[in-house]
Structure formats: C-alpha cells, structure tokens
Amino acid sequence: MNRVYNFSAGPSMLPVEVLEEAQKDLVDYQGCGMSVCEMSHRSKQYDAINNECLALIRELMNVPENYSIILVQGGGSTQFEAVPLNLLSKGKADYVVTGNFAKKAFKEAKKYGDIHLAGSSEDANFTYIPKELDIRSDIDYLYICQNNTIFGTKYPYLPKTDAPLVADVSSMILSEEIDVSKYGVLFAGAQKNMGPAGLTVVIVRNDLVTDGMPICPTMLKWKTQVENNSLYNTPPCFSIYMTMLNLRHLKKNGGVKAQQQINEYKAGLLYDFIDNSSFYTNKVVKEDRSIMNVPFTTPNADLDAAFIKEASQNGFLSIKGHRLVGGMRASIYNAMPVQGIKDLIEFMKKFEIANK
Ligand SMILES: *Cc1c(COP(=O)(O)O)cnc(C)c1O
C-alpha cells in the first residue's frame, strides 16, 4: 500500500482504519447480504446507522438536549441559503465577512432581507479576524465563518450579541472543543473533518426550528428533517455510514479533546518552522491563525510553482494554495498524521537548501 499525504482543503484524508473497516463490509454489510450503498434507508440496519451517527455527533460535541442535529445534503453552500430562509422572521441579520465562504453566504442572504455587513477583513486580503464589529441590536441572527479555509484564519473569540450566533464550522468541526450552547446554529459539510462529501451536519437550537420564511422550500427547512429524524427523503446513506465509522474511530482515540491536542501540536510544528525560516512566510496575524489550514509562500511565485510540483512528486498532494491567495496551503485536518507534518517540514528544509 502506498498512501500519500493529502493536504487538500477538502475532500480530505480519512484514517486508513476507517477505510479498511468500510472495505471489509462493503459487499456484505454485517451479514445482511448487501452493501450500505444498496440498502433501503427505511431498513432496520440503516436506521441503526443513522441513529448511531446522530448519537456520536451529540456525544463527541457535547450537544445540549435543547439542540437538534440534522443530516442533510447540498454541502455547506446550501446552508448559505437555508440560514436566512429558516431564521429571518424580523427580516434583519448581520454578517461578518472574513473570507470567500462568508462573502458567498452574505451575498445569498441579501436576497431575502435587510442584511448588514457588521465587519470585514477584505482590506487586508482576509489575513485577520476583525475585532471591532458593528452589530445591530434588533437582528434575527449574527453570522460568522469561524475557520476560514482559504485564508487560514480562525476566530480567537466569539462575537458578543444577544441574537443567535450562526457559525459555518465546515473546516473546523470536531477539530477542537467548542461550547455548542454559545451558538444558535452550527453547520458543516462532512468532507473536511468528518467523512466523505455528500453529507452536511446542521445543529440548531430548538427554539430556532420553525417554519421559517413562507418561501422557504420544504427541503431547506430544518424543521422538515428535525421532525423526520433526518429521513424525510433519501439521505446520502453511504456518506453517513462512513462518517459514523469515522466518529467511532475518533471516540475510540479519546474524542475531540485528545484530537485537539494533536491538532495544536501539528499546527505548532508547522507554524514554528515557518516563523523561524527566512524562506517561508505565513501572512496571517498570529492570534488569528487556523490550526486546520496553513497558507504559506516561498520568496516568489516561480519558487512556489516549483515547490508545488516537487511536493507532489514526493507524495505531498494538493498543497497548492487557493487562487485568491496563491502560494501553498497545507490543510491539516484530523486525519493528517503527525508524521505527515514532520515529513513535510523535512521536505521544506531540503527545498529551501536547494533553492536559496
Ligand atoms: C468547504 C467550505 C464550504 C463549502 O462547502 P461545500 O460543501 O463545498 O458546499 C463552506 N464553508 C467553509 C468554511 C468551507 O470550508
């Protein structure tokens, strides 16, 4: 077996043990004579998978009783629309734009109400998280993107507001402990830290599970899935199954707290190396750095291109930065082993010596 280190921002690596577990059961799931891919979502076997996935999310994230968890499709991006359609009752919401995904969410919301920009870091190409926000008092919700995948920033604080806080946590869910009770709504696509693409997890405080705006489509209404245990229509069964296996694996390895320590250690190794180097640079304000996505550059664009090419030839895949930032980006989600970071740093050292 020749596995590579996949530094992609998503879909990303999954633990080999999880892939092997799925492989073992792929053709004949636990003696039922068929694969989870072929199974009715109304079957007893699938019901157990669905319930275990939901229960593991609740347990691992310590989700309070007064919150519902739903499993939906459409990716994080569909929630950019679902959020305003479910939550705008007074018709007003504030958004903080800290990157491309927050900007997209802001743009979608503007179709549905009086949406105000409470803060932005676009003036410095999103290399920091704004600390002074202009939040209105009579809003339905405040929206943030807590970890900015493309730009490598993360909120070092949670904004203060009496309104429900809505957070896109697509690229940080299960990577560190968070206090769910501080939020009204959390959502995340699975393909970064949870499982394969196709599944999106939404966690909603129960008082926010309503009929939403009259124009809210049934399929985007959180209440539809809450009332149907996420089985209103055919769910992405196999993605949910794989996510369930990955959550079991996370639990067995000490849960989110243990994973957070590993993640902080991994990110620390890489940032320390970059900060002590005169060749590599990370432009993000230090206290706002993400522990999941680490953008960096060499002294010039030609060297960046050479780095990406040679990295890929050496088994460090998808390390090219997003076109909005350039350079490189190492996405180091939960499944990236510590050894992957150590090997990357060794490669970076060699590349620097050869190209200085
Ligand atoms: C990847 C990502 C998205 C988009 O997710 P899709 O599932 O591709 O729609 C949204 N927000 C953040 C923070 C992301 O990292």
Side-chain angles (χ1 to χ4, degrees):
M1 188 168 58
N2 203 6
R3 297 267 301 165
V4 296
Y5 293 126
N6 176 11
F7 288 92
S8 170
S12 47
M13 295 181 81
L14 284 167
V16 179
E17 296 92 315
V18 170
L19 296 171
E20 285 174 343
E21 175 84 21
Q23 182 184 43
K24 185 166 69 64
D25 274 347
L26 183 66
V27 176
D28 179 7
Y29 179 70
Q30 317 238 309
C32 76
M34 62 176 135
S35 167
V36 176
C37 305
E38 304 165 292
M39 195 179 276
S40 164
H41 60 292
R42 306 286 173 208
S43 65
K44 210 169 73 234
Q45 286 94 343
Y46 185 73
D47 206 46
I49 292 170
N50 184 53
N51 287 334
E52 185 175 344
C53 187
L54 289 165
L56 281 166
I57 295 169
R58 190 172 292 278
E59 181 184 344
L60 288 163
M61 292 183 68
N62 211 359
V63 178
E65 286 282 307
N66 62 323
Y67 284 73
S68 295
I69 305 169
I70 57 171
L71 309 176
V72 296
Q73 304 193 46
S77 303
T78 301
Q79 295 306 311
F80 298 166
E81 312 245 15
V83 165
L85 285 163
N86 280 278
L87 295 181
L88 286 176
S89 57
K90 289 175 262 193
K92 290 168 84 167
D94 286 4
Y95 277 65
V96 186
V97 172
T98 49
N100 213 39
F101 290 118
K103 200 173 181 177
K104 283 179 166 172
F106 178 55
K107 185 172 158 232
E108 295 302 330
K110 280 200 271 190
K111 296 191 227 164
Y112 304 110
D114 167 12
I115 310 298
H116 161 79
L117 186 65
S120 167
S121 50
E122 196 163 10
D123 58 346
N125 201 27
F126 301 119
T127 48
Y128 71 101
I129 299 293
K131 306 295 174 318
E132 303 277 308
L133 301 176
D134 169 29
I135 304 169
R136 298 180 295 181
S137 59
D138 51 347
I139 49 174
D140 289 313
Y141 64 92
L142 173 70
Y143 183 100
I144 63 167
C145 178
Q146 201 169 331
N147 184 81
N148 296 277
T149 324
I150 295 173
F151 300 92
T153 62
K154 184 185 76 167
Y155 278 73
Y157 72 101
L158 283 183
K160 284 213 169 21
T161 166
D162 293 331
L165 180 65
V166 176
D168 176 356
V169 290
S170 291
S171 49
M172 66 175 284
I173 192 165
L174 299 167
S175 69
E176 62 177 87
E177 290 190 298
I178 57 175
D179 180 356
V180 173
S181 72
K182 295 216 159 76
Y183 303 81
V185 179
L186 288 159
F187 69 85
Q191 70 272 24
K192 282 141 193 177
N193 245 342
M194 281 187 287
L199 165 66
T200 308
V201 174
V202 186
I203 303 173
V204 200
R205 208 173 64 210
N206 286 339
D207 61 295
L208 302 172
V209 179
T210 66
D211 281 322
M213 294 178 73
I215 59 160
C216 183
T218 304
M219 278 297 291
L220 293 192
K221 201 182 286 188
W222 299 326
K223 194 178 172 196
T224 306
Q225 297 297 0
V226 170
E227 287 177 345
N228 290 281
N229 198 31
S230 297
L231 289 165
Y232 172 74
N233 69 320
T234 318
C237 300
F238 199 73
S239 296
I240 291 171
Y241 162 68
M242 291 284 298
T243 298
M244 184 270 284
L245 292 181
N246 193 32
L247 296 177
R248 269 188 197 164
H249 175 84
L250 178 60
K251 182 178 167 185
K252 195 180 81 193
N253 287 291
V256 178
K257 195 185 183 118
Q259 185 66 55
Q260 176 172 354
Q261 281 168 1
I262 297 168
N263 290 339
E264 283 168 353
Y265 175 67
K266 287 189 292 184
L269 287 178
L270 191 50
Y271 283 124
D272 282 351
F273 172 72
I274 292 170
D275 289 344
N276 289 318
S277 148
S278 55
F279 188 79
Y280 298 103
T281 313
N282 167 283
K283 295 194 180 77
V284 173
V285 169
K286 273 194 185 155
E287 70 262 26
D288 300 342
R289 282 172 166 177
S290 166
I291 58 168
M292 292 283 100
N293 312 97
V294 182
F296 62 94
T297 52
T298 66
N300 66 61
D302 288 343
L303 281 176
D304 288 348
F307 183 98
I308 293 156
K309 189 162 164 236
E310 281 179 42
S312 145
Q313 288 160 351
N314 284 276
F316 306 100
L317 261 70
S318 300
I319 205 159
K320 189 174 195 289
H322 192 277
R323 63 187 188 285
L324 294 172
V325 181
M328 282 69 69
R329 170 182 46 174
S331 292
I332 51 175
Y333 298 118
N334 287 1
M336 173 61 66
V338 171
Q339 196 59 45
I341 308 295
K342 290 186 174 165
D343 290 355
L344 174 65
I345 291 172
E346 281 314 305
F347 172 78
M348 289 169 80
K349 283 183 190 161
K350 282 192 199 137
F351 185 86
E352 174 175 349
I353 291 165
N355 292 281
K356 218 164 181 170

